Amino acid sequence: MSTKTLRLILGDQLNSQHSWYSKQSPDITYLMVEAHSESEYVTHHIQKIVAYFMSMRAFAKELQENGHQVIYLSLDDPDNKKSIPANIKWLVENNRFTAFEYQLPDEYRLDQELNQIKKDLKIPISTVDSEHFLTSREELAIFFKGKKSYLMESFYRSMRRKYDLLMINKEPEGGKWNFDHENRHGWKEDFNAANPLLFDKDVSEIIKMLEKENIASIGNIDKKHFPWPVNRKESLQLLAYFLQNHLHAFGTYQDMMDTRSAYLNHSRLSFSINVKMLHPLEVVQKTIDYWRANQNTISISQVEGFIRQIVGWREYMRGVYWAKMPEYAQLNYFEHTRKLPDWFWNGNTKMNCLSNTINSSLDNAYAHHIQRLMITGNFALLAGIDPTELDFWYLGIYIDAIEWVEITNTRGMSQFADGGLVGTKPYVSTSNYIDKMSNYCKTCHYSKTKREGDKACPFNSLYWNFYQVNRDKLEKNPRIGFVYTTLDKMKESNRTALILQAEKYLENLNSL
């Protein structure tokens, strides 16, 4: 008697190159579910929900065209039991499946749900790797065994060696492991970036379905002109466009922010990579190949900066996630408890940097890493926002946000909530950094040069207040000792005025 197998494909497992699909079999059925539970565990950006459902539908269609058996449960399917576990149980019981298989999920939450399935189903269950990441779940924990902090740089170098990326024998190509110094240029008035490649799809029917099913969402969408890639072909097009039009200046201006451009020279590939339409090593290798063919116009610093984000930072964050979950989701080193200001949900603040970043996020389901770290994250840390509040916001608003990459960036890099496991210091700043890296301050209601009084930039007083309040936890940090030297050299009257200014702002966050 042949085995009748049900295989689950999650919405972020759209890897057409997976070994599962190398053979077709009438005894194997693939299950894909548009689950209410996945659409509602946080309030997602409308573009994020649409991108997932569009991509899942395209993937299911491709599987069917290639001769595979597929059960696809749309959100409004009357047979849809609303959650992934409920649908699995129902299908196994009613379709006489004799085995169940799934690829290891990337989120701890889903991992726990599927582990419970193993206890509930009365048939053999097996798991396979997603065949996507360059490291196993456990690899980073083993790499840093016995260490109190996880230094990303040492992990990144090991990944370069392991996959022979930009290496000459055992040494880094170009003579340096990283080119951060070349890749941190500030705002430039005559900066120009090529227009982004935006796709153009009508998603009216999916929007109608979401409204019918009462799926709550945030953000804006043009239902007649949806801009994101939703299949492997489009994702490869976007990669090729990035290489041809943006790579030459990616590294140099990767930290810059500008009101004139939402995307600058960033690739916009993170959604395609995170749902596995593109493999990270594929992206990296195509980038290196393109650079080698165009070294007369593209410097190695541009390429190294891009590769670092993928084989370094991305793999590193995933490793931290599996090494430290579920406890990581509760870490709150500074014991912050404030709620997010209301304007995080609508962008209605007089602070131009935050207004621009949040409104652009609401319009595009996107912000680049410095906007997330040094604008929204910087403010949240200075204002003492509960990291859980910020987790839900980041996880919902960005199209590329999946918990394994979101929470480690939020709790670790952005909010220092892990006490220094990921970051060696809190990433906070006054208006000086924001003004250097952007044109936000030029048209702001607040004055970048004022630290107290009417229209003083909130970042200035909040910065000094943050260090004053958290002195017992930060003073011995060797990377920020200079802050306390400066603080102690201030006249007591000036220091007191700064703290009072900050307290006034903290009491009226919704009015900023």
Side-chain angles (χ1 to χ4, degrees):
M1 182 177 176
S2 63
T3 301
K4 187 179 179 184
T5 301
L6 180 67
R7 286 179 172 175
L8 174 67
I9 304 171
L10 296 172
D12 63 347
Q13 294 178 338
L14 310 183
N15 177 10
S16 61
Q17 313 303 303
H18 195 280
S19 58
W20 261 2
Y21 314 122
S22 60
K23 295 180 181 179
Q24 298 81 30
S25 171
D27 297 323
I28 296 174
T29 300
Y30 293 96
L31 169 64
M32 300 185 73
V33 182
E34 294 175 2
H36 285 73
S37 58
E38 293 303 297
S39 305
E40 297 172 335
Y41 69 93
V42 295
T43 305
H44 296 287
H45 198 294
I46 183 65
Q47 291 185 41
K48 182 181 181 183
I49 301 172
V50 168
Y52 266 87
F53 288 177
M54 289 282 287
S55 301
M56 290 168 65
R57 292 179 181 192
F59 191 76
K61 182 180 179 183
E62 180 184 342
L63 288 180
Q64 290 171 324
E65 290 174 347
N66 290 334
H68 297 286
Q69 313 297 311
V70 179
I71 295 174
Y72 192 96
L73 296 174
S74 62
L75 199 71
D76 58 352
D77 192 312
D79 289 332
N80 194 328
K81 308 304 177 189
K82 299 188 181 297
S83 77
I84 292 171
N87 278 299
I88 293 168
K89 292 176 188 176
W90 179 77
L91 284 166
V92 167
E93 290 168 0
N94 290 274
N95 291 269
R96 297 182 180 178
F97 286 105
T98 58
F100 175 63
E101 299 176 356
Y102 64 91
Q103 297 175 32
L104 289 172
D106 296 325
E107 288 194 320
Y108 182 85
R109 172 183 59 86
L110 283 171
D111 196 56
Q112 293 299 296
E113 283 187 11
L114 292 173
N115 278 335
Q116 184 59 44
I117 285 281
K118 293 179 181 179
K119 301 175 184 177
D120 296 340
L121 297 182
K122 309 301 181 185
I123 58 175
I125 298 174
S126 60
T127 60
V128 298
D129 193 84
S130 67
E131 300 176 8
H132 174 78
F133 290 96
L134 307 182
T135 53
S136 68
R137 284 181 175 181
E138 301 80 18
E139 196 165 329
L140 182 130
I142 295 170
F143 184 86
F144 288 112
K145 187 176 181 180
K147 304 291 185 182
K148 291 184 178 179
S149 62
Y150 291 0
L151 185 64
M152 198 282 285
E153 180 67 23
S154 58
F155 174 77
Y156 167 62
R157 293 182 184 188
S158 75
M159 292 294 289
R160 289 265 299 273
R161 293 188 186 101
K162 178 180 178 180
Y163 287 96
D164 193 25
L165 301 171
L166 294 180
M167 299 294 296
I168 299 177
N169 297 321
K170 295 182 179 181
E171 297 302 316
E173 194 163 353
K176 293 193 291 186
W177 284 104
N178 74 69
F179 293 82
D180 279 356
H181 183 72
E182 290 94 323
N183 288 345
R184 290 176 173 170
H185 284 223
W187 183 79
K188 186 179 179 184
E189 186 169 6
D190 61 354
F191 171 85
N192 269 310
N195 291 329
L197 174 61
L198 303 177
F199 296 92
D200 192 13
K201 291 177 281 288
D202 189 325
V203 295
S204 304
E205 289 304 311
I206 285 186
I207 299 292
K208 191 183 301 182
M209 179 191 71
L210 295 175
E211 292 171 349
K212 177 185 172 186
E213 295 296 314
N214 296 313
I215 300 298
S217 63
I218 56 175
N220 307 311
I221 191 168
D222 184 340
K223 61 186 178 182
K224 297 289 187 181
H225 305 283
F226 188 70
W228 292 98
V230 297
N231 55 49
R232 177 167 168 78
K233 179 181 177 181
E234 290 176 349
S235 298
L236 287 169
Q237 281 181 266
L238 186 58
L239 172 58
Y241 188 88
F242 165 69
L243 297 177
Q244 294 163 15
N245 296 279
H246 297 290
L247 179 62
H248 70 281
F250 166 79
T252 305
Y253 298 106
Q254 65 176 314
D255 288 0
M256 190 179 108
M257 299 169 284
D258 196 307
T259 57
R260 298 169 296 181
S261 173
Y263 305 118
L264 302 168
N265 279 311
H266 291 272
S267 71
R268 297 173 59 249
L269 289 167
S270 52
F271 172 73
S272 293
I273 299 174
N274 286 358
V275 300
K276 303 179 180 58
M277 293 187 291
L278 295 177
H279 192 280
L281 201 57
E282 165 186 40
V283 174
V284 166
Q285 198 56 62
K286 284 181 181 293
T287 300
I288 292 174
D289 291 346
Y290 188 85
W291 167 67
R292 294 206 186 284
N294 295 275
Q295 291 187 55
N296 58 324
T297 56
I298 303 173
S299 68
I300 191 173
S301 63
Q302 318 299 332
V303 181
E304 187 278 323
F306 184 62
I307 288 173
R308 168 182 292 263
Q309 291 189 0
I310 298 175
V311 304
W313 198 249
R314 185 173 184 270
E315 294 286 330
Y316 169 79
M317 282 302 188
R318 189 236 184 187
V320 171
Y321 182 79
W322 284 108
K324 296 298 180 180
M325 285 295 284
E327 294 80 12
Y328 204 81
Q330 305 303 319
L331 297 179
N332 189 354
Y333 182 67
F334 296 115
E335 300 177 359
H336 286 164
T337 58
R338 286 190 180 88
K339 299 290 185 185
L340 272 178
D342 293 343
W343 43 260
F344 258 76
W345 304 100
N346 55 37
N348 294 331
T349 170
K350 296 186 289 292
M351 289 178 283
N352 196 40
C353 58
L354 281 153
S355 175
N356 185 275
T357 297
I358 292 170
N359 277 301
S360 182
S361 300
L362 291 168
D363 286 342
N364 303 304
Y366 173 88
H368 75 67
H369 62 286
I370 293 299
Q371 291 171 309
R372 300 187 202 194
L373 178 65
M374 297 306 299
I375 303 298
T376 51
N378 184 9
F379 181 85
L381 182 50
L382 294 178
I385 303 301
D386 185 338
T388 299
E389 288 263 311
L390 199 61
D391 272 337
F392 289 153
W393 187 80
Y394 279 130
L395 190 56
I397 200 167
Y398 293 122
I399 194 169
D400 56 6
I402 305 173
E403 190 185 61
W404 65 266
V405 69
E406 175 278 321
I407 201 169
T408 43
N409 273 288
T410 300
R411 300 264 172 176
M413 188 67 173
S414 173
Q415 299 303 291
F416 204 75
D418 63 7
L421 178 75
V422 167
T424 55
K425 66 173 184 176
Y427 279 86
V428 291
S429 77
T430 64
S431 62
N432 285 341
Y433 176 84
I434 298 170
D435 186 46
K436 175 188 173 185
M437 303 307 295
S438 75
N439 63 345
Y440 292 146
C441 299
K442 299 184 186 305
T443 55
C444 188
H445 168 83
Y446 294 100
S447 169
K448 65 184 180 184
T449 59
K450 293 186 69 175
R451 301 200 295 184
E452 59 207 55
D454 184 47
K455 294 187 177 180
C457 175
F459 280 91
N460 294 336
S461 58
L462 290 177
Y463 174 86
W464 293 108
N465 179 73
F466 168 79
Y467 278 113
Q468 176 72 10
V469 168
N470 295 295
R471 187 165 197 148
D472 61 326
K473 293 181 175 174
L474 296 175
E475 189 172 19
K476 294 181 180 178
N477 186 315
R479 290 202 65 194
I480 52 178
F482 72 93
V483 173
Y484 290 103
T485 301
T486 304
L487 196 58
D488 290 341
K489 286 181 179 178
M490 287 183 190
K491 290 182 180 179
E492 186 174 350
S493 58
N494 291 342
R495 189 165 56 244
T496 300
L498 274 172
I499 302 306
L500 290 174
Q501 180 78 37
E503 289 175 349
K504 175 184 174 183
Y505 283 150
L506 290 172
E507 289 170 3
N508 298 279
L509 289 180
N510 281 324
S511 300
L512 292 180

